[in-house]
Amino acid sequence: MANRKADDICPRPGRVDLGSTTPHAPPIVPTSVWECHDTEQSEALLNGAAAGYVYQRDGHPNADTLAAKCCELHRAERTVITSSGMAALAAAVLSLVKSGETIVASRRLYGRSLLLLGTETERLGIETRLVDSNDVAEVRGAAEQARMIVVETISNPTLRVAPLVELAEIAKETGALLLVDNTFATPALCRPLEWGAHLVMESISKSMNGHSDVMLGSLSGSEDLWGRVPQVVAAWGLASGPFDCWLAERGLATLAVRVERASANAQQVAELLTHHPAVERVDYPGLADHPDRAATEQLLSAGGSMVTFHLAGGLQAANRFIAAVREQIPFCPSLGETGTTISHPESTSHRGLTGEERAALGIDGGTLRLSVGIEQAATICELLQTALDARP
Ligand SMILES: *Cc1c(COP(=O)(O)O)cnc(C)c1O
């Protein structure tokens, strides 16, 4: 042993001795594989008879710690953590919908979700009918014999709030599963399962993690829907990575305070924008004239961190505004981080639509979407006020 050479010493991983005390910060466990004691144990682990880990794609400790937090946040029985928000949607559809079945989806869903529920699932023989998810009668008509209804709690970018109680009622009547994408709200503002949804998903990449440095998703629901979920995540390769899970758990530590502060800031921003002559319209669930005021008051504990506003003067005005603020409020087509960011839906999230389709959704060249952060409200308001006042 004393004379072992470097090529005998280095290739094998060393044993980590954690000492006799417990590390207070959670460890990251990046191993892709676990050592089994014998064939009896490997057999029991792989066929699910024993709890434990064998291969990271099928499950790992950092994902399980994060999933347990998501379960608690949503009062859910089961959560699977996936490699992205899109992977969470894929996991739901591939586990619970099959060829020949129909999905009813909101026309206002996130662009990539519409792609998944459009050409991607069409290739698998699954048909999607798009509806206005705020038109309860239209959803009821389309949901006859549907397998799944997919809506977002708060939609992008016009921040419509889905009538979850009525939609859950329709799901119950028709036997469809209601899947709610709760990315904009997070469980800090809304817990859709408590309003009758069967499944809730989040892009953890956004407000849940809150620092724009992670790609992850979550899907939560009840035990009775979970039969195929682990197998689908393993077979289609939708699993998460340990470091991302570790970062997201750290991000979640401040979820409640971040969302509370950002929502209070967003309320002030929305009110400032409403009163400025350069602004044609403001979409914010916390405003008294929001079209879904009743659903907002019923479902959300605050208005959320997103504020959308429409400048008179179209694309030119939007470009001037972005140029005026971008040093302090960067133009980033994502959302939910600690700092305030701005996005332009026409040229980013909704660029794939025709002008007519965008108009139907209430988006034009002058539409801007703020993801309000946790800075001092006065600082954000001052920046916006200066940029608006500087109009030619
Ligand atoms: C970003 C987003 C997704 C997709 O999540 P990723 O983590 O980017 O894959 C889904 N739904 C909504 C509402 C989103 O904003």
Side-chain angles (χ1 to χ4, degrees):
M1 283 300 274
N3 295 324
R4 283 204 305 161
K5 296 204 167 78
D7 45 12
D8 278 329
I9 297 165
C10 300
R12 285 172 198 279
R15 298 274 170 200
V16 177
D17 183 353
L18 293 177
S20 61
T21 44
T22 308
H24 182 52
I28 307 170
V29 185
T31 190
S32 61
V33 68
W34 276 257
E35 298 171 6
C36 301
H37 187 66
D38 53 26
T39 57
E40 204 177 309
Q41 188 191 28
S42 64
E43 170 64 23
L45 287 167
L46 288 166
N47 70 24
Y53 306 104
V54 180
Y55 194 59
Q56 191 191 102
R57 185 185 357 85
D58 298 338
H60 59 85
N62 292 107
D64 284 352
T65 317
L66 181 59
K69 285 246 161 85
C70 293
C71 276
E72 253 194 285
L73 285 167
H74 278 298
R75 321 283 195 255
E77 289 171 0
R78 298 294 297 257
T79 293
V80 66
I81 303 297
T82 54
S83 56
S84 67
M86 291 315 303
L89 179 59
V93 170
L94 293 168
S95 303
L96 291 156
V97 188
K98 58 181 192 290
S99 177
E101 293 182 328
T102 302
I103 295 174
V104 171
S106 166
R107 210 171 269 127
R108 295 192 194 89
L109 289 186
Y110 181 70
R112 294 288 194 230
S113 304
L114 287 173
L115 176 65
L116 190 152
L117 298 174
T119 46
E120 289 306 307
T121 39
E122 196 183 308
R123 295 180 67 252
L124 304 177
I126 296 165
E127 188 207 338
T128 297
R129 292 186 208 140
L130 295 182
V131 295
D132 176 351
S133 52
N134 288 89
D135 183 336
V136 173
E138 190 186 343
V139 178
R140 181 173 281 116
E144 285 292 325
Q145 291 165 354
R147 172 63 176 155
M148 190 176 270
I149 301 171
V150 187
V151 302
E152 288 171 8
T153 315
I154 305 174
S155 72
N156 180 40
T158 53
L159 311 178
R160 295 296 302 266
V161 179
L164 295 185
V165 173
E166 290 78 1
L167 296 174
E169 195 57 41
I170 293 171
K172 206 168 167 190
E173 281 166 29
T174 59
L177 299 170
L178 177 60
L179 165 61
V180 178
D181 179 339
N182 198 46
T183 299
F184 276 33
T186 81
L189 288 186
C190 181
R191 293 193 294 267
L193 299 179
E194 294 193 331
W195 298 105
H198 298 90
L199 296 156
V200 61
M201 60 164 276
E202 263 124 16
S203 165
I204 292 180
S205 324
K206 316 289 171 57
S207 308
M208 291 284 274
N209 174 58
H211 296 76
S212 291
D213 52 12
V214 148
M215 291 295 304
L216 282 178
S218 65
L219 176 70
S220 306
S222 56
E223 187 66 48
D224 61 316
L225 294 176
W226 230 249
R228 278 176 42 75
V229 173
Q231 169 182 333
V232 162
V233 171
W236 292 77
L238 307 176
S240 61
F243 185 51
D244 278 345
C245 291
W246 186 88
L247 280 173
E249 197 193 338
R250 183 179 183 147
L252 274 187
T254 53
L255 175 73
V257 284
R258 282 189 288 107
V259 170
E260 191 183 327
R261 170 77 171 245
S263 285
N265 284 354
Q267 183 74 38
Q268 286 196 42
V269 163
E271 280 161 17
L272 172 138
L273 293 168
T274 304
H275 293 114
H276 200 284
V279 176
E280 280 185 340
R281 196 180 89 228
V282 180
D283 303 320
Y284 184 65
L287 293 175
D289 67 350
H290 188 272
D292 310 313
R293 191 69 192 152
T296 300
E297 281 179 355
Q298 182 180 31
L299 305 170
L300 305 181
S301 57
S305 54
M306 309 299 293
V307 180
T308 297
F309 62 104
H310 308 267
L311 288 176
L315 180 60
Q316 238 189 344
N319 275 326
R320 268 198 307 269
F321 190 89
I322 290 169
V325 298
R326 77 178 157 231
E327 287 301 318
Q328 279 85 24
I329 301 181
F331 173 26
C332 292
S334 187
L335 60 114
E337 60 170 83
T338 47
T340 302
T341 58
I342 192 162
S343 186
H344 182 253
E346 186 191 65
S347 64
T348 62
S349 51
H350 292 71
R351 77 188 175 288
L353 303 185
T354 65
E356 220 166 75
E357 286 168 326
R358 279 194 295 265
L361 293 172
I363 304 163
D364 69 17
T367 303
L368 289 164
R369 189 203 69 188
L370 288 165
S371 169
V372 178
I374 60 172
E375 306 96 322
Q376 290 282 331
T379 309
I380 309 166
C381 288
E382 221 175 281
L383 285 167
L384 297 173
Q385 180 83 45
T386 307
L388 289 170
D389 290 347
R391 273 189 341 137

